[in-house]
Amino acid sequence: MDKQIAQVKIHPAIGIARVGNSSNEPFIGPESPDQPALPPGSYKDSSGKVIRQAARFRVYGYNKAGEVVRELKLGEEGVTEIKWSVHLANKKAAWYQFHIPLDIPEATGLQDAQRRRRNFDITGAARKKLINDPGIQTIHASKHETATFAGKIMDLPVPLGSASTQNDGRLLVVGGVGKSASFARPEKPISGVANNDTWYDDVSDGPVTAEVTIGGATKTASPAWVVVGPPHYAPGVKTVRTLYDLLHDVFVTEQTLPVEPEVSYPDHIEPLLTRFCDLQWVNHGFATQFGWSGPHHFRDPAMRKRLADPGKASRELRRQVYVQMRDYARDGMSPLPWPWLYGDAMSSRPNSVRQHITLSAAQDRMLALWADGHFTSGPPRTGHPNVDQAPPAEQPDLLDRAALENCAADAFHPGCEVTWPMRHKTMYSEPFRILHRTAENPERDYGDVLSLQDALGKNGPLFAQGPGDLTRWMAAPWQCDTASCRSGYEVRAGLGPRYSPYLPTFWPAQMPNHVLKKADFTTVNTKPSGGSDDSAREKAFENRAVWLRGLTGTDFNVQRRQMIDDWYKFGIVETHEYTVGDGKFPKYIQVESDPGYPPAPDDANLINIHVPEAGVPQLAAAAGVWTGSIPAESVEADLVQQAVQEVKEATGRDEAAIAAGYLEKLDPLHGTQ
């Protein structure tokens, strides 16, 4: 192989950092799709604060044929300098409202008021103060420099993080501290999930560039991007359709990446099926069906033997698993097909096949081939848990994939880290590499209302990107969306015998719904004494507590406001080893770390009720047109409390188990559909 360096590229192409409020040294995010989660205690410090996740970037040298030669490290093989530049920004407060993705047919039903600017009452030059842009920061690896992103919004200091290098020249980008607040005094009340005017947070995103001096010559690297998102509260769990799956499908469809030439059970099918099983640690509905000893526990050795067999004897089993997957043309709005995850057009009054998600086209194609017996078998994949021990030629792809596999591409409603624009090929210069906006091509002003024509049109927001452009679509602030990532949303009329508070669900891999408490794990992991039976251990293993049980009261907006302050107090789902050794429970069990809030009932906030009539005063107040003699907040609170009482009577549950309110994310067209 030609070992002459002809070009250099940064990897991962998109790096993911996450906010945290601990002063401890940040940990580095996953760098291989095969890398296990960190040991218990790695994600929070001794005081219960969340440790930040850093995004680490490297530079690789390629030859003229596009083959990877090696990683370029400072001080090795002629590399004398790596000059890094990073530009973080947060543009949420200055961007447009989010209700549903603008690239789906349902978006034509949005009213102009739903596509107008956030903080619309701030006009003219003052709107520039809504953008938190500390500017580009450049550091030299040879000098071990550190740069800080000392941003501000409406003249209030809001730091976005820092950048530094390691001894080998690799770049570390660390994000904000999870600080969200209102710049208004007194603060403006929280009014919903995604569009809370005057409120800001310290997530961010932006370009990462590098120049490498090697052998006396300086080469400009193909650039990368960094996204600073919320914490991953279940770092050992990946969702069924990850951001990597979604983007890989985009590039395969556009023929910039090849179709997998051969389907492998351990490489392609098993990782997908076992994600259903791993959701048992974050959702009780998935635990019942796909968890340990469940009817579709794909990790069971006997089940695996059948699923990995391409012969005729297992063909009907494979086919039945495949046909369970959702097909919009066949299933319509039914919640029954897999996966049991809400979709882009989720509404309390379902009117779209996009009420739930499907697998990606590439995932579906491989499953279809597997079901028909066209695949290779083999032992479970071990891969490369440590990217540095992988062959250099494989490292760039592992880095790119690991970052994105730990991000969600469930419902873009709006999402967790990034949202719907990511599925558009015009956003990229090459697979996984964001197209950077240049200073010579500034983004134009789309006006007070973002029209669908502008949103989807040529040279609009789906083309070249600038600092803050990926996260500007996300919820403002992010904690309000996190507090709304729940399961089993329903209106009062739907509380019949077929109602489940566990399914379907929003993003459980990122923001859990129901978790195994540490106290229950202690019971499970204690060997029974004498001749006692295992009923207590079995009961403890089956028990799940609502992850958001620490939110108090019954009103959604009150709970969202609490989440802004208390986001770090919620447990991180961590991987523990089952050490009794009798094989009665899984070898590895994922367990919620001790929460930082006062003890709460396990079923607190289990039932989540949408109250459409409470939207009338809320929406009117948000639009500044409420004319009632009683404050809109009081009218809304009375309607919510009335709904809670009705749900108590209908379900027999205590008030603590019920959360209610108007959710605009469940009414994206504001009652017009």
Side-chain angles (χ1 to χ4, degrees):
M1 184 183 75
D2 176 15
K3 294 189 176 182
Q4 183 70 30
I5 304 296
Q7 56 181 323
V8 294
K9 295 184 178 184
I10 303 172
H11 291 279
I14 301 174
I16 305 296
R18 298 184 186 275
V19 301
N21 60 346
S22 171
S23 60
N24 282 18
E25 193 76 13
F27 65 90
I28 295 168
E31 295 189 305
S32 168
D34 308 305
Q35 179 178 330
L38 298 176
S42 299
Y43 299 100
K44 284 192 174 188
D45 64 20
S46 58
S47 68
K49 292 184 177 180
V50 172
I51 300 172
R52 287 182 287 181
Q53 174 178 308
R56 180 160 66 178
F57 295 89
R58 316 168 184 217
V59 180
Y60 283 81
Y62 291 72
N63 62 23
K64 288 183 178 180
E67 299 169 311
V68 179
V69 177
R70 66 178 185 275
E71 182 184 353
L72 304 181
K73 296 182 179 181
L74 185 68
E76 295 183 8
E77 300 186 69
V79 178
T80 57
E81 183 64 275
I82 304 177
K83 184 175 76 172
W84 294 97
S85 295
V86 184
H87 192 166
L88 297 180
N90 179 312
K91 296 179 177 176
K92 288 184 181 183
W95 193 235
Y96 298 89
Q97 292 187 19
F98 181 94
H99 292 276
I100 55 174
L102 300 182
D103 61 348
I104 61 176
E106 293 78 9
T108 59
L110 291 172
Q111 304 166 33
D112 283 357
Q114 294 177 282
R115 290 181 281 102
R116 71 180 180 185
R117 302 184 197 269
R118 290 170 174 156
N119 297 292
F120 64 93
D121 55 337
I122 297 176
T123 59
R127 289 197 63 83
K128 293 182 179 179
K129 294 184 178 182
L130 293 169
I131 297 175
N132 186 344
D133 186 350
I136 191 169
Q137 302 294 324
T138 298
I139 56 177
H140 296 79
S142 66
K143 300 177 182 178
H144 305 291
E145 294 172 329
T146 297
T148 57
F149 298 95
K152 59 183 179 180
I153 183 170
M154 299 303 288
D155 298 323
L156 297 173
V158 185
L160 294 182
S162 64
S164 61
T165 58
Q166 298 180 303
N167 291 336
D168 55 10
R170 295 171 178 172
L171 173 72
L172 292 179
V173 179
V174 179
V177 297
K179 172 68 175 178
S180 297
S182 170
F183 55 73
R185 294 294 180 271
E187 71 177 37
K188 190 171 182 178
I190 291 296
S191 61
V193 174
N195 305 298
N196 292 288
D197 283 351
T198 78
W199 285 85
Y200 60 85
D201 59 32
D202 60 1
V203 304
S204 62
D205 69 276
V208 176
T209 60
E211 293 180 358
V212 182
T213 302
I214 178 171
T218 299
K219 297 181 181 294
T220 299
S222 295
W225 206 269
V226 63
V227 173
V228 180
H232 188 174
Y233 286 99
V237 179
K238 296 177 183 178
T239 190
V240 173
R241 188 183 71 186
T242 69
L243 186 57
Y244 175 83
D245 296 320
L246 183 77
L247 298 192
H248 181 267
D249 195 56
V250 169
F251 304 128
V252 169
T253 301
E254 296 302 323
Q255 299 182 345
T256 51
L257 282 181
V259 174
E260 293 289 349
E262 186 176 63
V263 176
S264 159
Y265 184 79
D267 290 335
H268 303 127
I269 305 303
E270 189 167 28
L272 171 58
L273 296 182
T274 55
R275 289 178 193 169
F276 283 84
C277 301
D278 291 345
L279 289 175
Q280 69 178 296
W281 308 119
V282 290
N283 178 276
H284 188 50
F286 277 87
T288 301
Q289 187 67 227
F290 301 101
W292 178 260
S293 298
H296 289 96
H297 184 226
F298 299 126
R299 288 188 178 276
D300 179 77
M303 173 72 87
R304 185 192 189 278
K305 182 178 180 180
R306 297 176 65 195
L307 295 172
D309 177 9
K312 291 183 179 180
S314 298
R315 183 171 184 174
E316 181 58 16
L317 173 63
R318 299 193 308 269
R319 189 194 68 83
Q320 288 193 22
V321 170
Y322 172 60
V323 299
Q324 287 289 337
M325 304 299 174
R326 181 170 288 104
D327 177 351
Y328 283 153
R330 178 196 66 183
D331 302 314
M333 293 174 280
S334 172
L336 298 180
W338 303 345
W340 297 321
L341 300 170
Y342 290 126
D344 285 359
M346 188 273 182
S347 172
S348 64
R349 289 172 282 189
N351 68 339
S352 167
V353 295
R354 281 166 287 278
Q355 178 78 4
H356 309 95
I357 74 163
T358 62
L359 300 180
S360 73
Q363 288 175 314
D364 187 86
R365 182 189 68 84
M366 289 190 287
L367 276 175
L369 289 170
W370 165 74
D372 206 32
H374 300 299
F375 68 97
T376 60
S377 191
R381 172 186 171 88
T382 55
H384 300 287
N386 184 337
V387 68
D388 289 311
Q389 295 177 5
E394 297 181 31
Q395 291 178 12
D397 287 344
L398 292 173
L399 291 166
D400 290 349
R401 182 168 185 167
L404 300 175
E405 270 200 357
N406 286 276
C407 296
D410 299 348
F412 284 139
H413 217 263
C416 296
E417 298 87 5
V418 289
T419 190
W420 65 272
M422 298 294 288
R423 59 189 172 207
H424 288 264
K425 65 175 182 177
T426 51
M427 297 268 291
Y428 304 91
S429 59
E430 62 180 75
F432 306 109
R433 209 168 288 279
I434 296 293
L435 178 63
H436 290 211
R437 182 178 294 279
T438 63
E440 296 74 32
N441 181 33
E443 187 171 34
R444 64 185 177 88
D445 188 332
Y446 302 112
D448 291 338
V449 175
L450 180 62
S451 70
L452 294 182
Q453 182 178 1
D454 282 341
L456 306 177
K458 188 173 178 59
N459 294 324
L462 303 185
F463 286 77
Q465 301 293 293
D469 285 359
L470 298 190
T471 54
R472 61 186 173 179
W473 306 87
M474 308 306 290
W478 65 265
Q479 291 95 334
C480 290
D481 198 12
T482 296
S484 307
C485 295
R486 308 189 188 193
S487 62
Y489 278 115
E490 191 52 272
V491 293
R492 282 162 288 175
L495 294 176
R498 287 186 170 87
Y499 168 68
S500 168
Y502 305 111
L503 296 167
T505 175
F506 276 118
W507 314 302
Q510 313 300 111
M511 285 76 181
N513 304 137
H514 322 105
V515 292
L516 185 68
K517 297 187 300 182
K518 187 174 286 187
D520 286 327
F521 172 70
T522 299
T523 299
V524 171
N525 203 34
T526 300
K527 188 174 183 178
S529 58
S532 61
D533 62 29
D534 278 326
S535 58
R537 294 204 300 156
E538 291 168 354
K539 182 178 179 180
F541 182 78
E542 293 294 332
N543 186 51
R544 295 292 189 271
V546 176
W547 181 66
L548 288 173
R549 65 192 182 279
L551 296 178
T552 58
T554 58
D555 186 278
F556 282 132
N557 281 328
V558 172
Q559 292 188 350
R560 293 183 189 116
R561 179 60 188 87
Q562 180 189 344
M563 191 69 170
I564 291 171
D565 293 333
D566 291 353
W567 61 271
Y568 66 94
K569 296 180 181 180
F570 292 81
I572 304 289
V573 178
E574 301 173 317
T575 303
H576 291 251
E577 185 175 2
Y578 174 63
T579 57
V580 174
D582 56 9
K584 293 185 177 181
F585 298 98
K587 183 177 181 180
Y588 295 101
I589 297 175
Q590 298 201 34
V591 183
E592 176 197 48
S593 65
D594 288 329
Y597 49 77
D602 286 359
D603 66 347
N605 300 314
L606 175 64
I607 298 175
N608 298 288
I609 301 299
H610 174 55
V611 186
E613 61 269 28
V616 175
Q618 182 184 120
L619 295 173
V625 296
W626 176 254
T627 58
S629 58
I630 302 174
E633 293 84 359
S634 299
V635 174
E636 180 184 354
D638 289 344
L639 291 169
V640 169
Q641 189 56 38
Q642 178 182 338
V644 169
Q645 294 304 314
E646 293 177 9
V647 174
K648 282 179 60 180
E649 295 175 6
T651 64
R653 293 274 188 173
D654 292 336
E655 186 169 302
I658 303 164
Y662 174 74
L663 289 131
E664 79 272 22
K665 72 187 294 178
L666 272 66
D667 185 21
L669 302 183
H670 289 180
T672 62
Q673 70 262 45

